[in-house]
Amino acid sequence: MSIAVLYGGNRPNGNTETLTKKVIQGLTVEEIYLKDHLIEPIVDKRHTKEGFPEIDDDYNSIIDRILQHDILIFSTPIYWYSMTGTMKNFVDRWSQTLRDSKYPDFKKQMSPKRAYVIAVGGDNPYMKGLPMIQQFQHIFDFIGISFDGYIIGEGNKPDEIAQDKEALFAAEQLRKKLQ
């Protein structure tokens, strides 16, 4: 069982990354920081004759990396009640990959995977973060990935996640499950 973590945060050592590190502590994982890669936004060409053009960025190299893993952990702060733009940009590009001749079996390759979401935010994230969790559920359902769980934590300023005992407990439980 191999694991990849996709970090969508833009703040080094932010609350979401800290909570995610609690989950993966002692596990062998591949950590991918989306902020460190150039991922161009999608230009929707699904319904054009020429289709999607080739884009010279880091996106395909990230896809190649995640295809090697059984479990994907999507780690994103809650920004404006959703995933970060960095994470959304990455997921939006899946539309292109689904039609890319280099990845003829993308959906089939993704469908046996299991996914988790770890998210931290302020402003009542346990309630206001749920639409984002539902968004991930729809994304995973569409691509065929099993959505095996999520953790929402509360924290805004640096290190505030350390105050959220419920999220820390959930992180420990998930770590044990992934061992």
Side-chain angles (χ1 to χ4, degrees):
M1 170 180 71
S2 63
I3 303 170
V5 177
L6 292 151
Y7 292 102
N10 298 312
R11 181 171 62 195
N13 304 308
N15 287 303
T16 309
E17 183 178 343
T18 298
L19 185 59
T20 303
K21 296 276 188 186
K22 299 272 186 205
V23 170
I24 64 172
Q25 183 178 0
L27 303 176
T28 301
V29 302
E30 180 173 5
E31 296 176 280
I32 302 167
Y33 291 83
L34 296 177
K35 69 178 177 56
D36 295 339
H37 299 276
L38 175 62
I39 303 170
E40 294 290 341
I42 192 166
V43 175
D44 189 354
K45 298 281 190 165
R46 289 176 294 160
H47 305 292
T48 62
K49 186 176 182 179
E50 68 275 7
F52 289 99
E54 187 69 31
I55 298 174
D56 185 23
D57 66 2
D58 300 327
Y59 170 79
N60 282 352
S61 68
I62 297 168
I63 290 297
D64 291 339
R65 292 166 70 184
I66 69 169
L67 286 174
Q68 306 303 312
H69 297 284
D70 306 304
I71 296 173
L72 304 176
I73 298 174
F74 292 79
S75 173
T76 180
I78 302 171
Y79 283 3
W80 287 102
Y81 312 102
S82 188
M83 67 184 80
T84 62
T86 305
M87 181 71 74
K88 183 68 166 79
N89 206 27
F90 175 72
V91 173
D92 280 351
R93 288 284 296 278
W94 290 8
S95 293
Q96 184 171 348
T97 307
L98 286 167
R99 290 162 178 78
D100 191 330
S101 62
K102 290 186 219 155
Y103 300 95
D105 298 319
F106 179 65
K107 200 169 183 178
K108 185 177 179 182
Q109 288 176 286
M110 292 292 279
S111 65
K113 298 185 185 315
R114 296 171 25 219
Y116 295 88
V117 173
I118 300 172
V120 178
D123 192 19
N124 193 13
Y126 284 102
M127 178 59 76
K128 294 179 179 179
L130 291 177
M132 180 195 68
I133 297 301
Q134 187 175 38
Q135 181 182 24
F136 272 109
Q137 177 71 66
H138 293 310
I139 291 164
F140 299 148
D141 285 349
F142 180 83
I143 208 79
I145 297 172
S146 174
F147 188 14
D148 283 7
Y150 66 90
I151 300 171
I152 293 178
E154 185 165 8
N156 190 21
K157 294 178 184 173
D159 301 319
E160 280 187 344
I161 191 61
Q163 312 296 317
D164 188 340
K165 302 302 180 202
E166 187 175 329
L168 295 173
F169 178 77
E172 177 62 21
Q173 295 308 302
L174 180 53
R175 187 185 65 74
K176 288 177 181 176
K177 183 178 179 179
L178 294 174
Q179 284 182 322

